[in-house]
Coordinates of all heavy atoms in Angstrom, one line a residue:
M1 N -10.3 0.5 -24.1 CA -8.9 0.3 -23.9 C -8.3 -0.1 -25.3 O -8.9 -1.0 -25.9 CB -8.5 -0.6 -22.8 CG -7.0 -0.6 -22.6 SD -6.7 -1.6 -21.0 CE -5.7 -2.9 -21.7
A2 N -7.2 0.4 -25.7 CA -6.6 0.1 -27.0 C -6.0 -1.3 -26.8 O -5.3 -1.7 -25.9 CB -5.5 1.1 -27.4
V3 N -6.2 -2.1 -27.9 CA -5.6 -3.5 -27.9 C -4.8 -3.6 -29.1 O -5.2 -3.4 -30.3 CB -6.8 -4.6 -27.9 CG1 -6.2 -6.0 -28.0 CG2 -7.7 -4.5 -26.7
P4 N -3.5 -4.1 -29.0 CA -2.7 -4.2 -30.1 C -3.1 -5.4 -31.1 O -3.5 -6.4 -30.6 CB -1.3 -4.5 -29.6 CG -1.5 -5.1 -28.2 CD -2.8 -4.4 -27.8
K5 N -2.9 -5.1 -32.4 CA -3.3 -6.1 -33.4 C -2.2 -7.1 -33.5 O -2.4 -8.3 -33.9 CB -3.5 -5.5 -34.8 CG -4.9 -4.8 -34.9 CD -5.1 -4.4 -36.4 CE -6.5 -4.1 -36.5 NZ -6.9 -3.9 -37.9
R6 N -1.0 -6.7 -33.3 CA 0.2 -7.6 -33.4 C 1.0 -7.6 -32.2 O 1.1 -6.6 -31.4 CB 1.0 -7.3 -34.6 CG 0.3 -7.4 -35.9 CD 1.2 -6.9 -37.0 NE 0.4 -6.8 -38.3 CZ 0.3 -7.8 -39.2 NH1 0.9 -9.0 -38.9 NH2 -0.4 -7.7 -40.2
K7 N 1.8 -8.6 -32.0 CA 2.8 -8.7 -30.8 C 3.9 -7.7 -31.0 O 4.4 -7.6 -32.1 CB 3.3 -10.1 -30.8 CG 4.2 -10.3 -29.6 CD 4.7 -11.8 -29.4 CE 5.6 -12.0 -28.2 NZ 6.1 -13.3 -28.0
M8 N 4.2 -7.0 -30.0 CA 5.3 -6.0 -30.1 C 6.6 -6.8 -29.7 O 6.7 -7.6 -28.7 CB 5.0 -4.9 -29.1 CG 5.9 -3.8 -29.2 SD 5.5 -2.4 -28.1 CE 5.4 -1.1 -29.2
S9 N 7.7 -6.5 -30.4 CA 8.9 -7.2 -30.2 C 9.4 -6.8 -28.8 O 9.2 -5.7 -28.3 CB 9.9 -6.9 -31.3 OG 10.3 -5.6 -31.2
R10 N 10.3 -7.7 -28.3 CA 10.9 -7.4 -27.0 C 11.7 -6.1 -27.1 O 11.8 -5.2 -26.2 CB 11.9 -8.6 -26.6 CG 12.5 -8.3 -25.2 CD 13.3 -9.4 -24.8 NE 12.5 -10.6 -24.5 CZ 13.0 -11.8 -24.2 NH1 14.2 -12.0 -24.2 NH2 12.1 -12.8 -23.9
S11 N 12.6 -5.8 -28.2 CA 13.4 -4.7 -28.3 C 12.6 -3.4 -28.4 O 12.8 -2.3 -27.7 CB 14.3 -4.7 -29.4 OG 13.6 -4.8 -30.6
N12 N 11.5 -3.5 -29.1 CA 10.5 -2.3 -29.2 C 9.9 -2.0 -27.9 O 9.7 -0.9 -27.5 CB 9.4 -2.6 -30.2 CG 10.0 -2.4 -31.7 OD1 11.0 -1.7 -31.8 ND2 9.3 -2.8 -32.7
T13 N 9.5 -3.0 -27.1 CA 8.9 -2.9 -25.8 C 9.8 -2.1 -24.9 O 9.4 -1.2 -24.1 CB 8.4 -4.3 -25.2 OG1 7.5 -4.8 -26.1 CG2 7.8 -4.0 -23.9
R14 N 11.0 -2.7 -24.9 CA 12.0 -2.1 -23.9 C 12.4 -0.7 -24.3 O 12.7 0.2 -23.4 CB 13.2 -3.0 -23.9 CG 12.9 -4.3 -23.1 CD 14.1 -5.2 -23.0 NE 13.6 -6.4 -22.3 CZ 14.4 -7.6 -22.2 NH1 15.5 -7.6 -22.9 NH2 13.9 -8.5 -21.5
T15 N 12.4 -0.4 -25.6 CA 12.7 1.0 -26.0 C 11.7 1.9 -25.6 O 11.9 3.0 -25.1 CB 12.8 1.0 -27.5 OG1 13.9 0.1 -28.0 CG2 13.2 2.4 -28.0
R16 N 10.4 1.4 -25.7 CA 9.3 2.3 -25.3 C 9.3 2.6 -23.9 O 9.1 3.6 -23.4 CB 7.9 1.6 -25.7 CG 6.7 2.3 -25.3 CD 5.5 1.7 -25.8 NE 5.4 0.2 -25.7 CZ 5.2 -0.4 -24.5 NH1 4.8 0.3 -23.4 NH2 5.1 -1.7 -24.4
R17 N 9.5 1.5 -23.1 CA 9.5 1.6 -21.6 C 10.7 2.5 -21.1 O 10.6 3.1 -20.1 CB 9.6 0.3 -21.0 CG 8.3 -0.5 -21.1 CD 8.5 -1.8 -20.3 NE 7.2 -2.6 -20.5 CZ 7.2 -3.9 -20.4 NH1 8.3 -4.5 -20.2 NH2 6.0 -4.5 -20.6
S18 N 11.8 2.5 -21.8 CA 13.0 3.2 -21.3 C 12.8 4.7 -21.5 O 13.6 5.5 -20.9 CB 14.2 2.8 -22.2 OG 14.1 3.4 -23.5
Q19 N 11.8 5.2 -22.1 CA 11.5 6.6 -22.3 C 10.9 7.2 -21.0 O 10.8 8.5 -20.9 CB 10.7 7.0 -23.5 CG 11.3 6.5 -24.8 CD 12.6 7.0 -25.0 OE1 12.9 8.2 -24.8 NE2 13.5 6.2 -25.5
W20 N 10.3 6.4 -20.1 CA 9.7 6.9 -18.9 C 10.8 7.0 -17.9 O 11.3 6.2 -17.2 CB 8.7 5.9 -18.3 CG 7.5 5.8 -19.3 CD1 7.4 5.0 -20.4 CD2 6.3 6.5 -19.2 NE1 6.1 5.1 -21.0 CE2 5.5 6.0 -20.3 CE3 5.8 7.4 -18.3 CZ2 4.2 6.6 -20.4 CZ3 4.6 7.9 -18.4 CH2 3.7 7.5 -19.5
K21 N 11.1 8.3 -17.6 CA 12.2 8.6 -16.7 C 11.7 9.6 -15.5 O 10.9 10.5 -15.8 CB 13.3 9.3 -17.4 CG 14.0 8.4 -18.4 CD 15.2 9.1 -19.0 CE 15.9 8.3 -20.0 NZ 15.1 7.9 -21.2
A22 N 12.2 9.3 -14.3 CA 11.8 10.2 -13.3 C 12.8 11.4 -13.3 O 14.0 11.2 -13.5 CB 11.8 9.4 -11.9
R23 N 12.3 12.6 -13.0 CA 13.1 13.7 -12.9 C 13.4 14.1 -11.5 O 12.5 13.9 -10.6 CB 12.5 15.0 -13.6 CG 12.4 14.7 -15.1 CD 11.8 15.9 -15.8 NE 10.7 16.5 -15.0 CZ 9.9 17.5 -15.4 NH1 10.2 18.1 -16.5 NH2 8.9 18.0 -14.6
T24 N 14.5 14.8 -11.2 CA 14.8 15.3 -9.9 C 13.9 16.4 -9.7 O 13.6 17.3 -10.7 CB 16.3 15.7 -9.7 OG1 16.6 16.7 -10.7 CG2 17.2 14.4 -9.9
P25 N 13.3 16.6 -8.4 CA 12.4 17.7 -8.2 C 13.1 19.1 -8.2 O 14.3 19.2 -7.8 CB 11.8 17.3 -6.8 CG 12.9 16.5 -6.2 CD 13.5 15.8 -7.3
D26 N 12.4 20.1 -8.6 CA 12.9 21.5 -8.5 C 13.0 21.8 -7.1 O 12.0 22.0 -6.4 CB 12.0 22.4 -9.3 CG 12.3 22.7 -10.7 OD1 13.5 22.3 -11.1 OD2 11.6 23.3 -11.4
L27 N 14.2 22.1 -6.6 CA 14.3 22.5 -5.2 C 14.5 24.0 -5.1 O 15.2 24.6 -5.9 CB 15.5 21.9 -4.5 CG 15.5 20.3 -4.4 CD1 16.8 19.8 -3.8 CD2 14.2 19.9 -3.6
V28 N 13.7 24.6 -4.1 CA 13.8 26.1 -3.9 C 14.2 26.3 -2.5 O 14.0 25.4 -1.6 CB 12.5 26.8 -4.3 CG1 12.2 26.7 -5.7 CG2 11.4 26.2 -3.5
T29 N 14.8 27.5 -2.2 CA 15.2 27.8 -0.8 C 14.1 28.4 -0.1 O 13.4 29.3 -0.6 CB 16.4 28.8 -0.9 OG1 17.4 28.2 -1.7 CG2 16.9 29.1 0.5
L30 N 13.8 27.9 1.1 CA 12.7 28.3 1.9 C 13.2 28.8 3.3 O 13.9 28.0 3.8 CB 11.7 27.2 2.1 CG 10.5 27.5 3.0 CD1 9.6 28.5 2.4 CD2 9.7 26.1 3.2
H31 N 12.9 29.9 3.8 CA 13.3 30.4 5.1 C 12.2 30.3 6.0 O 11.1 31.0 5.8 CB 13.8 31.8 4.9 CG 14.9 32.1 4.0 ND1 16.2 31.8 4.4 CD2 15.0 32.4 2.8 CE1 17.1 32.0 3.4 NE2 16.3 32.4 2.4
V32 N 12.4 29.5 7.1 CA 11.4 29.3 8.1 C 12.0 29.4 9.5 O 13.0 28.6 9.7 CB 10.6 28.0 7.9 CG1 9.6 27.8 9.1 CG2 9.8 27.9 6.7
G33 N 11.6 30.3 10.3 CA 12.1 30.3 11.6 C 13.7 30.7 11.6 O 14.3 30.2 12.5
G34 N 14.1 31.5 10.7 CA 15.5 31.8 10.6 C 16.5 30.8 10.1 O 17.6 31.0 10.1
R35 N 15.9 29.7 9.7 CA 16.7 28.7 9.1 C 16.4 28.5 7.6 O 15.2 28.8 7.1 CB 16.4 27.3 9.8 CG 16.9 27.4 11.2 CD 16.9 26.1 11.9 NE 17.8 25.2 11.3 CZ 18.0 23.8 11.5 NH1 17.2 23.4 12.5 NH2 18.8 23.1 10.9
E36 N 17.3 28.0 6.8 CA 17.1 27.9 5.4 C 17.0 26.3 5.0 O 17.7 25.5 5.5 CB 18.4 28.4 4.7 CG 18.3 28.6 3.3 CD 19.6 29.3 2.7 OE1 19.7 30.4 3.0 OE2 20.3 28.6 2.1
Y37 N 16.0 26.1 4.2 CA 15.7 24.7 3.8 C 15.6 24.6 2.3 O 15.1 25.6 1.7 CB 14.4 24.2 4.4 CG 14.3 24.1 5.9 CD1 13.7 25.1 6.7 CD2 14.9 23.1 6.7 CE1 13.7 25.1 8.1 CE2 14.8 23.0 8.0 CZ 14.2 24.1 8.7 OH 14.2 24.1 10.1
R38 N 16.0 23.5 1.7 CA 15.7 23.3 0.3 C 14.6 22.3 0.1 O 14.7 21.1 0.6 CB 17.0 22.7 -0.3 CG 18.2 23.6 -0.2 CD 18.4 24.6 -1.3 NE 18.6 23.9 -2.5 CZ 18.5 24.6 -3.8 NH1 18.1 25.8 -3.7 NH2 18.7 23.9 -4.8
V39 N 13.5 22.7 -0.4 CA 12.3 21.9 -0.5 C 11.8 21.9 -2.0 O 12.0 22.8 -2.7 CB 11.1 22.4 0.4 CG1 11.7 22.2 1.9 CG2 10.8 23.7 0.1
P40 N 11.0 20.9 -2.4 CA 10.4 20.8 -3.7 C 9.5 22.0 -3.9 O 8.7 22.4 -3.0 CB 9.7 19.6 -3.8 CG 10.3 18.6 -2.8 CD 10.8 19.6 -1.8
R41 N 9.4 22.6 -5.1 CA 8.7 23.8 -5.4 C 7.2 23.6 -5.1 O 6.5 24.5 -4.6 CB 8.9 24.2 -6.8 CG 8.2 25.5 -7.2 CD 8.5 25.8 -8.7 NE 9.8 26.1 -9.0 CZ 10.4 27.2 -8.8 NH1 9.8 28.2 -8.3 NH2 11.7 27.3 -9.1
N42 N 6.6 22.4 -5.4 CA 5.2 22.2 -5.3 C 4.8 22.0 -3.8 O 3.6 22.0 -3.6 CB 4.8 21.0 -6.1 CG 5.4 19.7 -5.8 OD1 6.6 19.7 -5.2 ND2 4.8 18.6 -5.9
L43 N 5.7 21.9 -2.9 CA 5.4 21.7 -1.4 C 5.7 22.9 -0.6 O 5.5 22.9 0.6 CB 6.2 20.5 -0.9 CG 5.8 19.2 -1.6 CD1 6.7 18.1 -1.0 CD2 4.4 18.8 -1.4
V44 N 6.1 24.0 -1.2 CA 6.4 25.2 -0.4 C 5.3 25.7 0.4 O 5.5 26.0 1.6 CB 7.0 26.4 -1.4 CG1 7.2 27.7 -0.7 CG2 8.3 25.9 -2.0
A45 N 4.1 25.7 -0.2 CA 2.9 26.3 0.6 C 2.7 25.4 1.8 O 2.3 25.9 2.9 CB 1.8 26.4 -0.3
A46 N 2.8 24.1 1.6 CA 2.5 23.2 2.8 C 3.5 23.3 3.8 O 3.2 23.3 5.0 CB 2.5 21.8 2.2
Y47 N 4.8 23.5 3.5 CA 5.8 23.7 4.5 C 5.6 25.0 5.3 O 5.8 25.1 6.5 CB 7.2 23.7 3.9 CG 7.7 22.3 3.6 CD1 8.0 21.9 2.3 CD2 8.0 21.4 4.6 CE1 8.4 20.7 2.0 CE2 8.5 20.1 4.3 CZ 8.6 19.8 3.0 OH 9.1 18.5 2.8
R48 N 5.2 26.1 4.5 CA 5.0 27.4 5.2 C 3.8 27.4 6.2 O 3.8 28.0 7.2 CB 4.7 28.5 4.1 CG 6.0 28.9 3.5 CD 5.7 30.2 2.7 NE 7.0 30.6 2.1 CZ 7.2 31.0 0.9 NH1 6.1 31.1 0.1 NH2 8.3 31.4 0.5
R49 N 2.7 26.6 5.8 CA 1.5 26.5 6.7 C 1.8 25.5 7.9 O 1.0 25.6 8.8 CB 0.4 26.0 5.9 CG -0.3 27.1 5.1 CD -1.6 26.6 4.5 NE -1.5 26.8 3.0 CZ -1.7 25.9 2.1 NH1 -2.2 24.7 2.4 NH2 -1.7 26.2 0.9
G50 N 2.9 24.7 7.8 CA 3.1 23.7 8.9 C 2.4 22.5 8.7 O 2.3 21.7 9.6
V51 N 1.8 22.2 7.5 CA 1.2 20.9 7.3 C 2.2 19.8 7.2 O 1.9 18.8 7.7 CB 0.4 21.1 5.9 CG1 -0.3 19.8 5.5 CG2 -0.7 22.2 5.9
L52 N 3.4 20.0 6.7 CA 4.4 19.0 6.5 C 5.5 19.4 7.5 O 5.8 20.5 7.6 CB 5.0 19.0 5.1 CG 4.0 18.4 4.0 CD1 4.6 18.6 2.7 CD2 3.7 17.0 4.3
P53 N 6.1 18.4 8.1 CA 7.3 18.6 9.0 C 8.5 19.1 8.2 O 8.7 18.5 7.0 CB 7.5 17.3 9.8 CG 6.9 16.3 8.9 CD 5.8 16.9 8.1
L54 N 9.2 20.0 8.6 CA 10.4 20.5 7.9 C 11.5 19.4 7.9 O 11.7 18.7 8.9 CB 10.9 21.8 8.5 CG 10.0 23.0 8.1 CD1 10.5 24.1 9.1 CD2 10.1 23.4 6.8
P55 N 12.2 19.3 6.7 CA 13.3 18.4 6.7 C 14.4 18.8 7.6 O 14.7 20.0 7.8 CB 13.7 18.4 5.2 CG 13.2 19.6 4.6 CD 12.0 20.0 5.4
E56 N 15.2 17.8 8.0 CA 16.3 18.2 8.9 C 17.6 18.4 8.2 O 17.8 17.9 7.1 CB 16.5 17.0 9.9 CG 15.4 16.7 10.9 CD 15.1 18.0 11.8 OE1 16.1 18.5 12.3 OE2 14.0 18.3 12.0

C-alpha cells in the first residue's frame, strides 16, 4: 500500500475527496406485462427474468 512521505494539507485532502461524485443511473424504458417501467440499464435483464420485483 502506498504511504505518503508528507502530510497532506486539509484543503488538498478536501479537494481530492470532492472529485468522487455519484452519478444518476441511466434509466431505460422497459415494457413488462403491458406496463411501462423506467429501470437502470444494468438491471434490465434481471427485471425481465423476474429476479427483481418491478418498481411500483
Side-chain angles (χ1 to χ4, degrees):
M1 186 170 119
V3 178
K5 282 192 168 187
R6 296 177 188 269
K7 181 175 180 178
M8 190 178 228
S9 72
R10 181 179 290 174
S11 64
N12 281 344
T13 300
R14 289 180 177 167
T15 301
R16 177 177 45 81
R17 286 183 185 155
S18 70
Q19 299 307 313
W20 293 85
K21 293 180 180 69
R23 295 184 313 184
T24 57
D26 266 349
L27 295 180
V28 295
T29 305
L30 175 68
H31 298 279
V32 176
R35 295 191 62 186
E36 190 174 289
Y37 299 97
R38 301 274 294 163
V39 297
R41 183 180 299 277
N42 61 332
L43 298 176
V44 169
Y47 283 115
R48 282 200 178 128
R49 281 190 234 129
V51 176
L52 292 173
L54 288 166
E56 294 297 321

